Amino acid sequence: VPEENRTAPDSPGALPVDRIEAFSDGVFGVALTLLVLDLHVPHGLGSEHAIWDALRGILLSFFDCIINFTFVLTIWINHHYFFHELARGSRVLLWLNGLLLLSVTFLPFPTSMLAEYPNFMAPEAVLSATMLVGCLTWIAMRIYASNRVGLLHRNVSPARHRSVMTRSVVGAGLYAVALVLSFVSANAAMGVQFVTLTMFIAEPEWLCHSAGRGGV
Amino acid sequence: VPEENRTAPDSPGALPVDRIEAFSDGVFGVALTLLVLDLHVPHGLGSEHAIWDALRGILLSFFDCIINFTFVLTIWINHHYFFHELARGSRVLLWLNGLLLLSVTFLPFPTSMLAEYPNFMAPEAVLSATMLVGCLTWIAMRIYASNRVGLLHRNVSPARHRSVMTRSVVGAGLYAVALVLSFVSANAAMGVQFVTLTMFIAEPEWLCHSAGRGGV
Amino acid sequence: VPEENRTAPDSPGALPVDRIEAFSDGVFGVALTLLVLDLHVPHGLGSEHAIWDALRGILLSFFDCIINFTFVLTIWINHHYFFHELARGSRVLLWLNGLLLLSVTFLPFPTSMLAEYPNFMAPEAVLSATMLVGCLTWIAMRIYASNRVGLLHRNVSPARHRSVMTRSVVGAGLYAVALVLSFVSANAAMGVQFVTLTMFIAEPEWLCHSAGRGGV
Amino acid sequence: VPEENRTAPDSPGALPVDRIEAFSDGVFGVALTLLVLDLHVPHGLGSEHAIWDALRGILLSFFDCIINFTFVLTIWINHHYFFHELARGSRVLLWLNGLLLLSVTFLPFPTSMLAEYPNFMAPEAVLSATMLVGCLTWIAMRIYASNRVGLLHRNVSPARHRSVMTRSVVGAGLYAVALVLSFVSANAAMGVQFVTLTMFIAEPEWLCHSAGRGGV
């Protein structure tokens, strides 16, 4: 970008969105690849059979990478759509975005706990709590952005905004349910999490009429 | 980029390509450098001779870094060319790109297995399967992009598209052959992989007339 | 960005700011997520109770991640505002920025020391010294940028510049006090650090009249 | 960047430079911060005295981080200036850039060897060889870019090109001398490396008249 084209900081509180995106993308990239660091080939195996056995042993860690990848990518895609609707940033938005990124970088921890202790309740509780914090931050960002004049692009329709909001609130509610359930039954909590994640990926028509996208 | 220049999200499904590129580049960067993290200097060596011996011992890991680097860089270069042809992105494209990135972040695992167990068949099978998944995702992205109106730039010629497609299909076929071969002979599978990678790097005239570039 | 739009390097010393930002963001992203790498789930636990106990044990590391995150994010936000005011870069600025990034990447080390030895003076001293180096680099960058013609955007008002400068000098002074205090009382030093960080986050009116932002 | 502004891929071999820069910056960022990962606080220390002792013990690793940081930052700054002079990229340039990035990601390995075995010759030899490969890649990129019509911006003067070239060749020669010396005396090799790095940072007038910048 040529120097002449850079916006002069006319109002010190108004920030270009692209650097917030670039910074967030760096953090998302690390969160995506963090669990792959834990895939390790065992040393000193002597036969094909032993290697295949070892591979079978780390299959769970591998599935865990995919689950973590799916979670982080879903959040990133919604992040992508949300910031695409923003005309400019602000200091409060930077802190809310920071809180969201914190929950994203924390995600690999509960998902790797889940791979280690799949039938226990504690990992489910931590994962649900992390996603709940993410969803609530998301709702706060949406409310803040729509109430501050000049942050959202003018052509983002209120209908679209409402539909995205609905989804985020439903998502937060479902993760709250999963959090409570995780103290009763790990499998039930996992089921609710699966449904919620699928909802955010699939975007069913009845929930997101008017092409609403967003929410964690 | 000045705020006024940012495209307003006229159609919510149409996304600017640059952020997808930036996000992907972060993931590629980690995948490129992941294996270098495993290069460790042994502690407590007492003589020049002992250090050189230790260096000779990690020579294989070093070659492995270079092999992994070559694989990831080849995919990145093709990613670069493919997204350069895109006018805009979409939700489906983000998920296909995510699947491609997942196979890229997974690559260091089979290549480091290969360095540990060079004469065994299991690492060859996992590496071939990973590259096959990458190639198939690539083909799916190409088919999807060329069938959705508005995703590809108008001046990407059909001849070019066809030639790139040919290469991707040939690549997928060769990795499928390597996958089958890896259960018969590790060396034969490695040979096929070497030929396929070389083909993607060298781009021979008889395969890629009309300057076709792309494919994994 | 189209090729035609790229600024030709008319004066070799004048550099576009965006690449400096992108590069810095990569380093900030790693510094943000570095401590999360240390959150490890203990292996081989047999009961819900044992897992919750283990989680309680790593609670301190988790708080440490949040503290480190807050420090790095505060610096990043100020970095964001400062570079937003720059019209172009220079070689000296690249080195000053490099020194700032070095102190940022070093930050996770004293904060993780702090989590390990919360009641000792050494971690406080190292943390205060790191932040002091950061603040002094920040002041040097501001002085340099305001004295070199063409680096700052023309519409950055002197009042704004002065107010940001005041805050940076006050911050450096407070961290110097914390450094001295850390050899007397760890708790007193921690208190001063807390006040300083809060000041940079909250930006009280009496300190930053005229919307001044910046400083570490 | 708005979709309409993105260059359509008129000639498939001509690539925008910014994505090459963004990708390289990701790799540089990891190379910069890699050694900080090795700074670990010892566990279970019981007194202030023991902590200060432990800190003194990792002082060498800390200096090593700074040395590595200086090397990588110097290369990054030159990378910055070189790509700023480029109007567009090409496939060959991507591979040459990849080779340069490989030598950059490899750099933390010899510098951490140097911290572990400061008086031995092997680390000096590996470090000199890495920097020599980097310098030669750099020279190849310069020669290639100046011989391919349309890669360099038209207003890069031949005088400037020549002066940068001189510096790169002198740098390569000095690292070759350091490589040979490292088999005779570790200290002599380190001295030559120090002089070469200083030359690239300081850019003395007698070497770089006409504001020449670049080289490794």
Side-chain angles (χ1 to χ4, degrees):
Chain A
V1 177
E3 282 97 293
E4 305 78 42
N5 275 12
R6 282 178 64 88
T7 0
D10 35 54
S11 61
L15 285 167
V17 180
D18 10 14
R19 196 176 166 195
I20 312 176
E21 291 176 340
F23 172 67
S24 307
D25 283 356
V27 177
F28 274 108
V30 177
L32 263 180
T33 47
L34 213 60
L35 287 191
V36 185
L37 289 169
D38 288 337
L39 290 182
H40 281 301
V41 200
H43 294 279
L45 302 174
S47 68
E48 286 288 344
H49 192 78
I51 301 179
W52 284 112
D53 264 2
L55 282 174
R56 215 164 295 127
I58 62 168
L59 207 60
L60 198 63
S61 304
F62 174 63
F63 280 129
D64 187 42
C65 287
I66 296 181
I67 290 172
N68 184 62
F69 206 95
T70 310
F71 267 110
V72 176
L73 198 60
T74 307
I75 301 177
W76 181 78
I77 289 179
N78 287 312
H79 195 271
H80 194 353
Y81 276 97
F82 175 67
F83 275 87
H84 188 45
E85 290 177 12
L86 284 185
R88 48 184 66 202
S90 78
R91 190 162 269 256
V92 173
L93 203 84
L94 289 180
W95 279 104
L96 287 173
N97 187 50
L99 188 57
L100 182 71
L101 291 180
L102 183 62
S103 70
V104 168
T105 57
F106 187 62
L107 254 182
F109 177 70
T111 52
S112 72
M113 272 181 77
L114 205 62
E116 185 85 22
Y117 304 106
N119 298 314
F120 285 90
M121 294 185 282
E124 291 296 333
V126 179
L127 181 56
S128 302
T130 310
M131 292 306 289
L132 182 58
V133 168
C135 272
L136 293 177
T137 314
W138 211 250
I139 292 172
M141 279 171 83
R142 278 245 157 231
I143 292 179
Y144 173 79
S146 62
N147 286 342
R148 271 283 288 264
V149 176
L151 285 193
L152 280 183
H153 275 294
R154 253 156 301 168
N155 54 358
V156 175
S157 74
R160 176 166 156 68
H161 178 74
R162 229 176 307 120
S163 104
V164 174
M165 205 60 182
T166 309
R167 249 175 24 110
S168 298
V169 172
V170 170
L174 285 172
Y175 282 121
V177 168
L179 178 56
V180 173
L181 270 181
S182 65
F183 291 96
V184 183
S185 153
N187 288 335
M190 201 185 274
V192 174
Q193 281 169 357
F194 182 77
V195 166
T196 317
L197 187 61
T198 309
M199 178 191 86
F200 280 124
I201 296 173
E203 301 201 320
E205 271 301 304
W206 52 268
L207 189 65
C208 329
H209 34 234
S210 74
R213 283 176 180 88
V216 162
Chain B
V1 176
E3 283 97 289
E4 306 77 43
N5 274 12
R6 281 179 65 90
T7 1
D10 34 55
S11 60
L15 286 166
V17 180
D18 9 14
R19 197 175 165 196
I20 312 177
E21 290 176 339
F23 172 67
S24 307
D25 283 356
V27 178
F28 274 108
V30 177
L32 263 180
T33 47
L34 212 61
L35 286 189
V36 184
L37 289 169
D38 288 336
L39 291 181
H40 281 301
V41 199
H43 295 279
L45 302 174
S47 69
E48 286 288 345
H49 192 76
I51 301 179
W52 283 113
D53 263 3
L55 283 174
R56 215 165 295 125
I58 61 167
L59 207 61
L60 199 62
S61 303
F62 174 63
F63 279 130
D64 186 42
C65 287
I66 297 181
I67 290 172
N68 184 61
F69 206 95
T70 310
F71 267 111
V72 176
L73 198 60
T74 307
I75 301 177
W76 180 78
I77 290 180
N78 287 311
H79 195 271
H80 195 352
Y81 276 98
F82 175 66
F83 275 87
H84 188 45
E85 289 177 12
L86 283 185
R88 49 182 66 202
S90 78
R91 192 163 267 255
V92 173
L93 204 83
L94 289 181
W95 278 105
L96 287 173
N97 187 49
L99 188 56
L100 183 71
L101 291 180
L102 183 63
S103 69
V104 168
T105 56
F106 187 63
L107 254 182
F109 177 69
T111 52
S112 71
M113 272 182 76
L114 205 63
E116 185 85 22
Y117 304 106
N119 298 314
F120 285 89
M121 293 186 281
E124 291 296 332
V126 179
L127 181 56
S128 303
T130 309
M131 291 305 290
L132 182 57
V133 168
C135 272
L136 293 178
T137 314
W138 210 250
I139 292 172
M141 279 171 82
R142 278 243 157 233
I143 292 179
Y144 173 78
S146 62
N147 287 343
R148 272 283 289 264
V149 177
L151 286 192
L152 281 182
H153 276 293
R154 252 157 302 168
N155 54 358
V156 175
S157 73
R160 177 168 153 67
H161 178 73
R162 227 177 307 120
S163 103
V164 174
M165 205 59 183
T166 309
R167 252 183 13 120
S168 298
V169 172
V170 170
L174 285 171
Y175 281 121
V177 168
L179 178 56
V180 172
L181 271 181
S182 65
F183 291 97
V184 182
S185 153
N187 288 334
M190 200 185 275
V192 173
Q193 281 170 357
F194 182 78
V195 166
T196 317
L197 187 61
T198 309
M199 178 192 87
F200 281 124
I201 297 173
E203 302 201 318
E205 270 301 303
W206 52 268
L207 189 64
C208 330
H209 33 234
S210 73
R213 283 176 181 87
V216 164
Chain C
V1 176
E3 282 98 291
E4 305 77 43
N5 274 12
R6 282 178 64 89
T7 1
D10 35 54
S11 62
L15 285 167
V17 180
D18 9 15
R19 195 175 167 196
I20 311 177
E21 290 176 339
F23 172 67
S24 306
D25 283 356
V27 177
F28 274 108
V30 177
L32 265 180
T33 47
L34 212 60
L35 286 190
V36 186
L37 289 170
D38 288 337
L39 290 183
H40 281 301
V41 198
H43 295 279
L45 302 173
S47 69
E48 286 287 345
H49 192 78
I51 301 178
W52 283 113
D53 263 4
L55 282 174
R56 214 164 296 126
I58 62 168
L59 206 61
L60 198 64
S61 302
F62 173 63
F63 279 129
D64 186 43
C65 287
I66 296 181
I67 291 171
N68 184 62
F69 206 95
T70 310
F71 267 111
V72 176
L73 198 60
T74 308
I75 302 177
W76 181 78
I77 289 179
N78 287 312
H79 195 271
H80 194 355
Y81 277 97
F82 175 67
F83 275 87
H84 188 46
E85 289 177 13
L86 283 186
R88 49 183 65 202
S90 77
R91 190 162 270 257
V92 172
L93 203 83
L94 288 181
W95 278 104
L96 286 172
N97 186 51
L99 188 56
L100 183 71
L101 291 180
L102 183 63
S103 70
V104 168
T105 56
F106 187 62
L107 254 182
F109 177 70
T111 52
S112 71
M113 273 182 75
L114 205 62
E116 183 85 22
Y117 304 106
N119 298 315
F120 285 89
M121 294 185 281
E124 290 297 331
V126 178
L127 181 56
S128 303
T130 309
M131 290 306 289
L132 182 57
V133 168
C135 272
L136 294 177
T137 313
W138 211 249
I139 293 172
M141 278 171 84
R142 277 246 157 232
I143 293 179
Y144 173 79
S146 63
N147 286 343
R148 270 282 290 262
V149 176
L151 285 192
L152 281 183
H153 275 293
R154 252 156 301 168
N155 54 358
V156 176
S157 74
R160 175 165 156 67
H161 178 74
R162 227 176 309 118
S163 103
V164 174
M165 204 61 182
T166 310
R167 250 179 18 116
S168 298
V169 172
V170 170
L174 285 172
Y175 282 121
V177 168
L179 178 57
V180 172
L181 271 181
S182 65
F183 291 97
V184 183
S185 153
N187 289 334
M190 202 185 275
V192 174
Q193 281 169 357
F194 182 78
V195 166
T196 318
L197 188 60
T198 308
M199 177 191 86
F200 280 125
I201 296 173
E203 301 201 316
E205 270 301 304
W206 53 267
L207 189 64
C208 329
H209 34 233
S210 72
R213 283 176 181 88
V216 162
Chain D
V1 175
E3 283 97 289
E4 306 76 45
N5 274 13
R6 282 178 65 88
T7 1
D10 34 56
S11 61
L15 285 167
V17 180
D18 11 14
R19 194 173 167 197
I20 312 177
E21 290 176 340
F23 171 68
S24 307
D25 283 356
V27 177
F28 273 108
V30 177
L32 263 181
T33 47
L34 212 59
L35 286 190
V36 185
L37 289 170
D38 288 336
L39 290 182
H40 281 300
V41 199
H43 295 279
L45 302 174
S47 69
E48 286 288 346
H49 192 77
I51 301 179
W52 283 112
D53 264 4
L55 282 174
R56 214 164 296 125
I58 61 167
L59 207 61
L60 198 63
S61 302
F62 174 63
F63 280 129
D64 187 42
C65 286
I66 296 181
I67 291 172
N68 184 61
F69 206 95
T70 310
F71 267 111
V72 175
L73 198 60
T74 308
I75 301 177
W76 180 78
I77 290 179
N78 287 310
H79 195 271
H80 195 354
Y81 276 98
F82 175 66
F83 276 87
H84 189 46
E85 290 177 12
L86 283 187
R88 48 183 66 202
S90 77
R91 191 163 267 257
V92 173
L93 204 84
L94 289 180
W95 278 104
L96 286 172
N97 187 49
L99 188 57
L100 183 72
L101 292 180
L102 183 63
S103 70
V104 168
T105 56
F106 187 62
L107 254 181
F109 177 69
T111 53
S112 71
M113 273 182 76
L114 205 64
E116 184 85 22
Y117 304 106
N119 297 315
F120 285 90
M121 294 186 281
E124 291 296 333
V126 178
L127 182 56
S128 303
T130 309
M131 292 305 290
L132 181 57
V133 168
C135 272
L136 293 177
T137 313
W138 210 250
I139 293 173
M141 278 170 83
R142 278 245 156 232
I143 293 179
Y144 173 78
S146 63
N147 286 343
R148 272 282 289 262
V149 176
L151 286 192
L152 281 182
H153 275 295
R154 253 156 302 168
N155 54 356
V156 176
S157 73
R160 175 166 156 68
H161 178 74
R162 228 177 306 120
S163 104
V164 174
M165 204 60 182
T166 309
R167 252 182 15 119
S168 298
V169 172
V170 170
L174 285 171
Y175 281 121
V177 167
L179 178 56
V180 172
L181 270 181
S182 65
F183 291 97
V184 182
S185 152
N187 288 334
M190 201 185 276
V192 173
Q193 281 169 358
F194 182 78
V195 166
T196 317
L197 187 60
T198 308
M199 177 191 87
F200 281 124
I201 296 173
E203 303 200 318
E205 270 302 303
W206 51 268
L207 190 63
C208 333
H209 34 233
S210 73
R213 282 177 181 89
V216 163

